[in-house]
Amino acid sequence: MTIRVLLVDDELLVRTGLRATLSSEPGIEVVGEAGDGAEAVSEARRLRPDVVLMDVRMPRVDGISATRLVVEGNDSDGQPPAVVVLTTFENDDYVYDALLAGARGFLLKRAPVEDLLAAVRMAAEGDALLFPAKLRDLVSARDGRAAEPSERPPLPPLSEREADVLRAMARGLSNAEIAAELYVGVETVKTHVGSLLAKLRVRDRTQAVIRAYESGFVAPGL
């Protein structure tokens, strides 16, 4: 299956480079470009891409608002595109907010080509691009400005196994890796992940891990 990609960045040079890289890869097709968040939303609705590579810092409508509109504003007869946000800075508050808005993951603009291609494929397959070390850095950068531990919203009650799975997710383990570590089947892990998403009222694994950090259930320094 060909992965259809929409490129969103206010710099033409960045879009040109991304298009050249992605178009040369078998199985990936760049179906469109947008220069700001407002155009990104309209083009995503018109073109129905599988993946949107979204810059977070743009004029008019930034990548955070655009991500939310792309993820939540899709037609009811199909899945929304997977949004991967692009950033220049490792500890970018915009990225954190974009993840909360529904982005599947994030990628540095200077990332190697193989990381870019892997990100597009993982997003298209429905996987969260959860890079534990980078996400911990984002959380740590915010930690000094966060509420006191007593004021942090607690997680709902979790079973012992759900808690184990959430900790493993925070370490970036895949379902197969979690299954091997906990000596259970992959389908069992999927069931626990689904239960966690429902209990935490989040859309995906990335948001679940952010909730775990924000509640203090997982410490960003560990």
Side-chain angles (χ1 to χ4, degrees), residues 21 107 111-121:
T21 299
L107 196 67
V113 170
E114 56 267 25
D115 288 356
L116 171 64
L117 298 176
V120 168
R121 290 195 174 96

Side-chain angles (χ1 to χ4, degrees), residues 7-166:
L7 305 177
V8 183
D9 197 292
D10 61 332
E11 295 186 24
L12 175 59
L13 187 61
V14 172
R15 299 200 308 271
T16 301
L18 289 171
R19 176 180 281 275
T21 299
L22 295 173
S23 297
S24 65
E25 188 68 13
I28 297 178
E29 178 188 2
V30 176
V31 295
E33 299 181 17
D36 60 49
E39 189 179 1
V41 175
S42 62
E43 287 297 273
R45 290 172 179 167
R46 182 178 72 87
L47 297 171
R48 295 176 172 271
D50 302 304
V51 177
V52 178
L53 292 180
M54 178 88 72
D55 186 16
V56 289
R57 294 175 178 266
M58 295 181 293
R60 294 178 63 199
V61 177
D62 62 30
I64 302 167
S65 300
T67 293
R68 183 176 296 107
L69 291 169
V70 166
V71 171
E72 297 180 353
N74 66 299
D75 294 334
S76 59
D77 60 347
Q79 291 295 319
V83 176
V84 178
V85 293
L86 301 173
T87 179
T88 305
F89 310 103
E90 296 204 24
N91 296 330
D92 191 341
D93 278 351
Y94 278 64
V95 171
Y96 192 91
D97 290 334
L99 294 175
L100 291 176
R104 193 69 57 83
F106 66 97
L107 196 67
L108 292 175
K109 289 186 178 181
R110 64 175 181 274
V113 170
E114 56 267 25
D115 288 356
L116 171 64
L117 298 176
V120 168
R121 290 195 174 96
M122 288 175 65
E125 292 170 1
D127 294 330
L129 307 178
L130 192 55
F131 303 109
K134 292 180 181 178
L135 184 53
R136 280 198 298 270
D137 288 344
L138 288 174
V139 176
S140 295
R142 283 202 169 194
D143 206 41
R145 306 191 297 276
E148 293 298 320
S150 60
E151 299 174 359
R152 293 178 177 179
L155 295 183
L158 304 177
S159 70
E160 181 177 352
R161 188 58 86 193
E162 287 170 343
D164 291 339
V165 170
L166 184 55

Side-chain angles (χ1 to χ4, degrees), residues 193-216:
V193 171
S195 176
L196 280 168
L197 299 186
K199 283 187 176 182
L200 301 180
R201 297 183 179 181
V202 295
R203 183 177 294 106
D204 56 35
R205 297 165 73 100
T206 300
Q207 291 186 341
V209 172
I210 290 175
R211 283 278 284 118
Y213 279 130
E214 289 184 335
S215 69

